[in-house]
Amino acid sequence: MDEAEIREIVREVLSRVRSGEPPKAERPGIFADMDAAVAAARTTQRMIAAMPMEFREKIIASIRKNILKNAAALSELGVRETGMGKVGHKILKHQLVAEKTPGTEDITTTAWSGDRGLTLVERGPFGVIGAVTPSTNPSETILCNAIGMLAAGNTVVFNPHPGAKNVSNLAVEIVNRASLEAGGPENIAVSLENPTLESGEAMFRHPEIQLIVATGGPGVVTAALSTGKRAIGAGAGNPPALVDETADVPKAAVDIINGASFDNNLPCIAEKEIVAVERVADELLHHMKENGCYHASAAEVEKLMQLVFVRHNGKDVLNRKYVGADASRLLRDIGVDAGDVKLVIFEGSEQHPAIREELMMPIIGLVRVKNVDAGIELCKNLEHGNRHSAHMHSKNVDHLTKFGKALDTAIFVKNGPSYNAIGFGGEGYTTFTIASRTGEGLTSAYTFTKSRRCVMSDSLCIR
Ligand code: NAD
C-alpha cells in the first residue's frame, strides 16, 4: 500500500468518525476533567481500531522523530520541574525510548492449521488504558507507554504525578502533535491540566477504562490492583549488586558506578546497595574511589542520614528534597566540598537504613559477606521480595545461576551496569514500565493486548 492510499483511507475514517467534532485544541490531549479526557480517548480509539496497522506505524514513526527533536527540552524541563536527575542522562533516556521501544512488530499471531481448518490467536487492543506515571522518569514513561499502547491499538489516559505534570503533559502534547503531523488523529494520549490523587482514583473507576497500568511505588500499585479491573503493576525495587571473589573487580567497580549514578540513581532498576565478598571488598572500594566516588566516613554518613530521612507521623521517611539530587549537592549540604563526585559510597551493616531503603539518591552502601552463599542470602533479604531487579559480578556460572534462581527477579544483569537491562548498552528492547509485581516483566506493545481466538472451521488449510 503506498502513502497516498494510506492517507485516503485515514481521511475517510477520520471524516466518518469526526462529524461534528470541535476544532483542534490549543494543547492537544490536555483536558480540564477526567470524563472529558476519557471520552476523547474513547473516540480516538475507535479511529485507531479502524486504521490499517501500517498507519499506526506511520504515527509511531512521527512520535519517534518528535521525541528525538524534543529530547533536550523535555530533559531540561523534567530536571527543572522535579528537581531530580541529570539533564544529559535524561536526554539519553529519551533517545532510548525513541529508538528502542517496540512498535507494531511486537504484536505476533499464533496459528494452527489442519484437517479441521485454521485457528488464529490474534492480539487485540483493550480499548482505553488508564495509566499512572512516576515523577522519577516522567516523560520517558509517558512516551514509552504511548508508543506501546498505540502499537497495540489502544489509546491512553494518563494521570501523571502531580509533581511532574508540566513535563508529563508536554510529552502528551508531543505525542498528539506528532500524530497530527503524520495525518492521524489527536487524543491518542490524553492527560489532565491538574492531575491529583483523586483524579487518578476517578480514572481507575471509570467504566470506559479497560486496563490499568500503574508505574510507581507500592501505594499506587496496590491501589491499581484493588480496583477489580485488570491491572499491570510496575512497582518499587531495591536492587542489590553482588560482587564475588571471581569477578573482574576493576570492571565491576566501574559498572556499578555507571549504573548507580545514572540519572542520580532514579531508575528503579539501578544498583541501590553493594554486597561484596570479603576477599574483594577492599579492592572494589579502592577502584570505586579511583573512579569518581567519595568514600564517606561514619560521621559523614550520620550527617547524610539527617538529610536523607525526615520524621513524618512518628516514622523516618525519605526526604523528597534529596531524591535524585547530585552527589556533590548532598555532600555540600553536610559541609563537604569534594568537587565533582558521581557517587557517595560508605560501608555499613545490613541493617543500615540507607542500605535497606530504596533511596533513589547517588549514595550507595557496601556490606561485606564472608562468601558467595552468604551474599546471595543477604541480597535476597535486601531486595525485600519485590522480585524487581538484582545484579551480579562474577565469572563463575554456578554462582550466577544460583543467584538468578534465588533472587527470582524480573531483571538480572550479569557483569554490566544495571541499565544494560533496558537495552542501553545491552541487547533487547527498552521500557520504563517494568511489571515486577504482576509478572509481565519488561512491558511492550504485546503486554497491552488481549488474546482473541479466531477460528475458520474446516477451510483455509492448504497443506
Ligand atoms: P509514586 O508512587 O509517589 O507515584 C507514582 C504515581 O502514582 C504518581 O502518578 C502518583 O500520583 C500516583 N499515585 C500514588 N498513590 C496513588 C493512589 N493511591 N491512587 C492513585 N494514584 C496514586 O512514585 P514516584 O516517587 O513518582 O516514583 C518512584 C517510585 O516508583 C519508586 O518506588 C520506583 O521504584 C518506582 N518505579 C517503578 C518503575 C517500574 O517500572 N517498576 C518505574 C519507575 C518508578
Side-chain angles (χ1 to χ4, degrees):
M1 193 181 294
D2 68 23
E3 191 144 307
E5 284 174 302
I6 298 174
R7 276 190 183 280
E8 193 43 46
I9 292 172
V10 173
R11 225 186 331 270
E12 259 185 59
V13 173
L14 297 189
S15 63
R16 241 186 298 130
V17 188
R18 276 176 166 174
S19 45
E21 197 197 9
K24 284 183 192 47
E26 208 173 290
R27 297 185 65 197
I30 311 302
F31 290 81
D33 80 279
M34 188 51 79
D35 282 342
V38 176
R42 177 76 263 180
T43 304
T44 300
Q45 201 274 328
R46 291 198 180 98
M47 296 181 204
I48 302 287
M51 279 176 190
M53 294 274 277
E54 206 175 345
F55 198 80
R56 270 187 224 168
E57 202 46 57
K58 199 169 148 47
I59 298 172
I60 290 168
S62 177
I63 297 173
R64 294 187 199 279
K65 191 181 85 192
N66 279 281
I67 295 173
L68 291 175
K69 209 163 91 187
N70 290 285
L74 285 161
S75 304
E76 277 157 23
L77 178 57
V79 171
R80 198 164 59 244
E81 183 181 15
T82 64
M84 297 192 261
K86 286 187 171 294
V87 173
H89 291 166
K90 286 196 187 291
I91 292 175
L92 295 172
K93 285 157 82 180
H94 284 90
Q95 288 169 343
L96 187 65
V97 169
E99 287 160 5
K100 292 190 100 173
T101 304
T104 53
E105 76 285 0
D106 197 46
I107 318 288
T108 50
T109 299
T110 310
W112 296 266
S113 67
D115 296 341
R116 302 311 310 263
L118 172 67
T119 293
L120 303 175
V121 172
E122 291 191 313
R123 308 295 308 188
F126 275 88
V128 184
I129 297 177
V132 285
T133 48
S135 55
T136 47
N137 315 305
S139 43
E140 301 91 311
T141 308
I142 287 196
L143 294 162
C144 185
N145 279 354
I147 291 176
M149 290 168 182
L150 169 63
N154 306 285
T155 53
V156 49
V157 181
F158 286 108
N159 194 72
H161 194 290
K165 69 178 178 188
N166 296 326
V167 67
S168 301
N169 286 350
L170 176 59
V172 167
E173 280 185 53
I174 287 169
V175 167
N176 291 308
R177 288 190 201 283
S179 173
L180 291 165
E181 206 177 292
E186 56 192 321
N187 301 325
I188 280 180
V190 299
S191 178
L192 292 192
E193 271 163 32
N194 286 306
T196 58
L197 276 188
E198 292 68 36
S199 62
E201 280 155 15
M203 180 183 79
F204 286 172
R205 285 195 307 274
H206 201 290
E208 289 283 6
I209 298 292
Q210 323 270 311
L211 169 69
I212 294 167
V213 178
T215 310
V220 68
V221 173
T222 301
L225 293 176
S226 312
T227 56
K229 295 186 182 182
R230 168 88 196 276
I232 295 174
N238 191 39
L242 176 59
V243 184
D244 80 4
E245 69 282 7
T246 70
D248 176 342
V249 179
K251 180 178 184 303
V254 172
D255 286 344
I256 294 171
I257 294 168
N258 286 341
S261 64
F262 191 63
D263 210 16
N264 283 341
N265 202 255
L266 288 176
C268 53
I269 59 169
E271 297 83 348
K272 300 275 188 293
E273 63 277 342
I274 302 166
V275 176
V277 169
E278 214 157 45
R279 208 188 318 161
V280 294
D282 286 333
E283 191 188 347
L284 184 69
L285 286 168
H286 165 78
H287 287 288
M288 292 189 81
K289 280 186 276 183
E290 289 288 293
N291 286 282
C293 295
Y294 179 83
H295 193 166
S297 68
E300 287 164 345
V301 174
E302 205 36 59
K303 283 191 197 157
L304 279 171
M305 293 306 102
Q306 307 300 316
L307 297 186
V308 166
F309 293 105
V310 283
R311 220 53 203 157
H312 182 70
N313 290 341
K315 278 196 343 206
D316 284 335
V317 297
L318 266 195
N319 185 353
R320 304 294 301 191
K321 200 172 117 188
Y322 288 101
V323 170
D326 288 345
S328 50
R329 178 178 155 214
L330 281 153
L331 288 171
R332 213 176 34 248
D333 285 6
I334 59 159
V336 174
D337 183 5
D340 194 17
V341 166
K342 289 183 184 160
L343 271 182
V344 179
I345 52 173
F346 70 96
E347 260 198 87
S349 83
E350 60 186 85
Q351 296 306 331
H352 198 287
I355 287 171
R356 297 202 74 79
E357 292 290 315
E358 184 200 29
L359 297 186
M360 295 178 284
M361 297 174 199
I363 301 177
I364 188 162
L366 179 146
V367 188
R368 284 174 199 249
V369 283
K370 56 178 193 310
N371 57 35
V372 73
D373 286 332
I376 293 172
E377 263 319 294
L378 178 56
C379 287
K380 206 172 153 193
N381 179 283
L382 294 174
E383 212 273 325
H384 305 305
N386 292 319
R387 293 185 170 80
H388 189 300
S389 298
H391 315 298
M392 185 168 176
H393 298 265
S394 170
K395 297 282 187 196
N396 182 317
V397 288
D398 294 335
H399 292 179
L400 290 165
T401 307
K402 202 168 180 184
F403 180 86
K405 283 191 178 183
L407 271 290
D408 190 24
T409 44
I411 284 175
F412 171 23
V413 175
K414 298 174 277 294
N415 300 327
S418 51
Y419 49 62
N420 283 175
I422 54 167
F424 189 63
E427 292 300 328
Y429 65 90
T430 203
T431 185
F432 281 82
T433 295
I434 296 141
S436 39
R437 205 150 137 201
T438 48
E440 292 83 357
L442 284 84
T443 58
S444 63
Y446 188 90
T447 322
F448 308 124
T449 60
K450 61 185 182 191
S451 175
R452 302 179 68 201
R453 184 179 273 220
C454 186
V455 179
M456 166 58 85
S457 191
D458 292 332
S459 296
L460 284 183
C461 171
I462 55 165
R463 285 199 275 161

